[in-house]
Amino acid sequence: MEQKETARLIYVIVPLTVPGSSKNKIISYFEAFCKKAVWEFEMLSVKAIKLEIYSKLKERGVSMPLDNDEMNQQRRKEIRKKSSEYFYEQMAQKLESLAKSAKSGPAMLFLRKNHPPGSWYTLYNFIKKKREEGFLIELIAFLPKPFKRFETANETYPISLGGILDALIELLERENEEEGETLEGQPESERIQLVLKFVKLYANLENNRYYYKNFNGIIEIEISDEQEAEKRLEPNKKSIEPLIAEFLQECGEEKGVNLVPDGFLDKITLQIQEAVEKLKWKTVLRDEEKIVSEIANFFAKRKYPKKRYY
């Protein structure tokens, strides 16, 4: 294929997040930065793609795969595969559009999708191919910065106990009809397991060599007021922290998130649910201007790349 040179620099933002990580707020911070910097901003949402697939299924009279029987597990797998295919097709279109835009200056494409380590290989190879076609792309990982990383006996996670609670509360309070595949019709226990099994996928993230190899930069910024959360948690840590640690130790290594019922995990999940309800946890976000300013500081320090990272 003949290379096409595109001088415009495109930053692709890859959130290393879990379900319930306030991605809409995170997107708004990056969009606000781009508005101030006069950069073109685009967002690609895997959730919107899933909802579109579900809408087409409903039109055909196909019910949503809510139960965890074998047939519905297979249907969910097929939908995830189709969603991923559409996601990359649309990413290619958005990159093409940004590269050809008449607007000057860098551009940003925010990928509204959780990206645990198991998804990096496919993403990196897609971006590598685009660079070989002549696109000038920097792949930037975004991690909500924890005040204190959650730890178990053998593992460390790039999220705090407060961050885990923030994610749990957001999913538990989320309305079914707005969400599509991930949550529609699922009980609270499965929502809790969804968050914690995603957390598990990030175990010992800093020891993963591809964390530093696949990304051109890593931006860590506190979204929630982590220090304030730590103070609020101090009197209640013993009621929730050991339960979450036990769940993470027992759920084992998985390539993906499997919500097949497990008697032992279900018992711990119920205890976690009761502990969370007693906490009456509320998420406290940091000041938006400070967050946007920290995003600006990160990009102000970056130099225009002199190579295409082939």
Side-chain angles (χ1 to χ4, degrees):
M1 181 183 293
E2 183 181 350
Q3 282 196 357
K4 52 182 178 184
E5 291 299 323
T6 59
R8 191 179 204 190
L9 174 60
I10 303 172
Y11 290 105
V12 175
I13 309 300
V14 184
L16 309 185
T17 50
V18 301
S21 294
S22 300
K23 283 185 285 296
N24 286 341
K25 289 298 296 182
I26 293 169
I27 291 167
S28 72
Y29 301 143
F30 278 90
E31 188 171 14
F33 157 71
C34 286
K35 187 175 181 180
K36 286 188 175 182
V38 197
W39 289 9
E40 193 169 358
F41 178 87
E42 285 283 352
M43 185 269 291
L44 177 59
S45 170
V46 73
K47 171 186 166 183
I49 291 170
K50 287 180 180 178
L51 289 175
E52 183 179 345
I53 292 172
Y54 275 120
S55 177
K56 290 179 180 178
L57 285 173
K58 286 181 179 179
E59 288 175 2
R60 289 162 43 194
V62 179
S63 61
M64 299 299 98
L66 303 180
D67 297 325
N68 272 320
D69 58 35
E70 187 174 342
M71 183 183 72
N72 280 326
Q73 288 176 43
Q74 182 61 32
R75 191 184 298 174
R76 282 179 177 172
K77 185 177 179 180
E78 292 171 359
I79 291 172
R80 284 196 297 270
K81 181 181 178 183
K82 189 175 290 289
S83 298
S84 180
E85 291 171 356
Y86 287 175
F87 186 79
Y88 281 97
E89 287 175 10
Q90 291 194 19
M91 197 191 311
Q93 293 173 11
K94 285 186 177 291
L95 289 171
E96 186 81 22
S97 175
L98 288 170
K100 290 182 175 180
S101 173
K103 296 180 181 179
S104 60
M108 180 179 290
L109 175 60
F110 190 105
L111 304 181
R112 192 193 184 285
K113 180 180 183 294
N114 300 308
H115 284 85
S119 67
W120 297 351
Y121 180 80
T122 302
L123 175 62
Y124 177 77
N125 282 325
F126 173 85
I127 294 297
K128 181 182 178 182
K129 182 179 178 182
K130 288 297 159 188
R131 288 168 175 158
E132 290 169 350
E133 293 174 7
F135 288 86
L136 186 57
I137 299 171
E138 283 218 321
L139 205 55
I140 305 295
F142 170 75
L143 180 70
K145 185 177 181 181
F147 177 68
K148 183 180 179 182
R149 281 167 163 73
F150 191 87
E151 296 181 350
T152 62
N154 303 310
E155 296 172 331
T156 302
Y157 300 89
I159 186 170
S160 65
L161 177 57
I164 292 173
L165 288 171
D166 288 342
L168 289 173
I169 290 298
E170 179 171 320
L171 252 67
L172 289 172
E173 294 181 348
R174 204 180 274 180
E175 295 296 328
N176 288 347
E177 63 269 17
E178 298 177 357
E179 298 312 317
E181 179 204 11
T182 304
L183 294 177
E184 188 168 344
Q186 291 184 347
E188 293 180 338
S189 60
E190 288 190 5
R191 299 181 185 211
I192 290 171
Q193 290 195 12
L194 181 68
V195 171
L196 296 182
K197 288 187 176 184
F198 256 95
V199 171
K200 180 71 176 183
L201 297 177
Y202 290 98
N204 298 322
L205 178 69
E206 284 79 3
N207 295 337
N208 187 325
R209 66 190 180 97
Y210 293 103
Y211 181 48
Y212 304 97
K213 181 179 179 181
N214 285 3
F215 299 108
N216 304 115
I218 301 166
I219 176 171
E220 292 191 22
I221 292 178
E222 278 189 35
I223 300 301
S224 298
D225 190 334
E226 293 268 339
Q227 294 188 49
E228 193 274 340
E230 190 72 16
K231 291 177 183 176
R232 283 187 291 143
L233 271 171
E234 195 56 44
N236 303 296
K237 269 189 176 182
K238 291 182 180 179
S239 69
I240 186 73
E241 190 172 40
L243 294 172
I244 291 176
E246 186 175 9
F247 184 101
L248 293 173
Q249 287 174 327
E250 295 295 336
C251 73
E253 296 294 335
E254 298 181 16
K255 292 183 179 179
V257 177
N258 184 4
L259 292 179
V260 174
D262 179 299
F264 185 71
L265 288 184
D266 288 346
K267 181 180 178 181
I268 304 175
T269 302
L270 181 59
Q271 293 173 321
I272 291 172
Q273 183 177 339
E274 291 172 351
V276 170
E277 289 172 355
K278 288 179 182 178
L279 277 177
K280 299 187 184 301
W281 188 255
K282 295 293 182 184
T283 299
V284 178
L285 298 174
R286 292 178 62 222
D287 179 71
E288 180 174 340
E289 288 189 11
K290 290 182 179 179
I291 294 173
V292 173
S293 176
E294 289 171 17
I295 294 173
N297 289 339
F298 173 85
F299 286 103
K301 294 175 183 177
R302 298 197 65 78
K303 295 181 179 179
Y304 194 87
K306 294 182 180 180
K307 59 180 182 178
R308 298 194 181 277
Y309 308 107
Y310 294 160

